[in-house]
Amino acid sequence: MNLEQKVMAEMKDAMKAKDEAALRGLRAIKAEIIKAKAEPGAGGEISAETENKMLQKMLKQRKDSLDIYRNQNRADLAKKEEEEIAIIEKFLPAQLTEDQLKDELRKIIAEVGASSPADMGKVMGAASKQLAGKADGKTISSAVRELLNG
């Protein structure tokens, strides 16, 4: 079952349960799927990799908005973002814990032969490819910086 089919099934359940928060998040995902399918060259199909990138992007947008709303003491808007984040995360692969991420990054650092903060670009390039969907870029970047400076 692809992402679109999963989202549609969840939408039916959310409608029956009258769960507005879930419905809002699912509709946002469905809108992104439709947009991705309409992209030039997509041919009405999107790959699992594209689905993951799309979900990661949506998650990052929601987290950025959440930070802004919290800084502005807008609990009402922050709550909506938290609800949508929870829905989006259901469709993403399990995220790595901090320890798992650092273990993976240590292997990548050894593979590329990085030894100083100047090698951050090489590590980030490899890490972004290998850990796509398992951790967001900001988390990877801060962990790489910590390991290379450490």
Side-chain angles (χ1 to χ4, degrees):
M1 187 183 298
N2 69 16
L3 178 64
E4 187 173 19
Q5 292 166 332
K6 290 177 190 172
V7 169
M8 293 304 290
E10 293 265 337
M11 277 179 75
K12 285 180 188 174
D13 294 341
M15 284 180 189
K16 287 177 186 173
K18 296 190 182 350
D19 185 347
E20 286 300 316
L23 207 50
R24 187 175 57 248
L26 293 165
R27 282 183 175 141
I29 294 170
K30 185 170 187 289
E32 288 296 320
I33 291 170
I34 291 169
K35 199 161 69 173
K37 282 179 151 185
E39 290 283 319
E45 292 295 319
I46 53 175
S47 67
E49 184 181 324
T50 304
E51 289 174 348
N52 270 343
K53 283 182 183 177
M54 178 190 68
L55 289 170
Q56 283 284 5
K57 181 180 174 188
M58 290 177 71
L59 189 64
K60 182 184 182 323
Q61 290 169 338
R62 301 303 183 289
K63 286 183 176 180
D64 290 347
S65 296
L66 180 60
D67 289 342
I68 292 167
Y69 293 146
R70 284 183 175 156
N71 289 338
Q72 296 176 347
N73 295 320
R74 294 293 310 266
D76 56 329
L77 296 173
K79 184 177 187 311
K80 286 183 177 184
E81 295 300 327
E82 288 169 347
E83 292 167 348
E84 288 187 28
I85 287 170
I87 297 298
I88 294 167
E89 285 177 336
K90 284 173 45 176
F91 297 101
L92 280 168
Q95 300 291 295
L96 294 174
T97 65
E98 190 174 338
D99 291 336
Q100 291 170 326
L101 176 63
K102 285 185 178 177
D103 288 343
E104 291 293 321
L105 288 173
R106 283 187 191 97
K107 292 175 193 169
I108 293 168
I109 289 170
E111 283 173 21
V112 298
S115 58
S116 71
D119 298 322
M120 181 144 178
K122 286 195 285 188
V123 176
M124 283 302 296
S128 295
K129 286 181 186 148
Q130 289 184 29
L131 304 175
K134 297 178 184 172
D136 71 285
K138 190 188 277 186
T139 307
I140 293 171
S141 175
S142 63
V144 168
R145 190 171 292 117
E146 183 182 321
L147 290 170
L148 289 176
N149 287 331

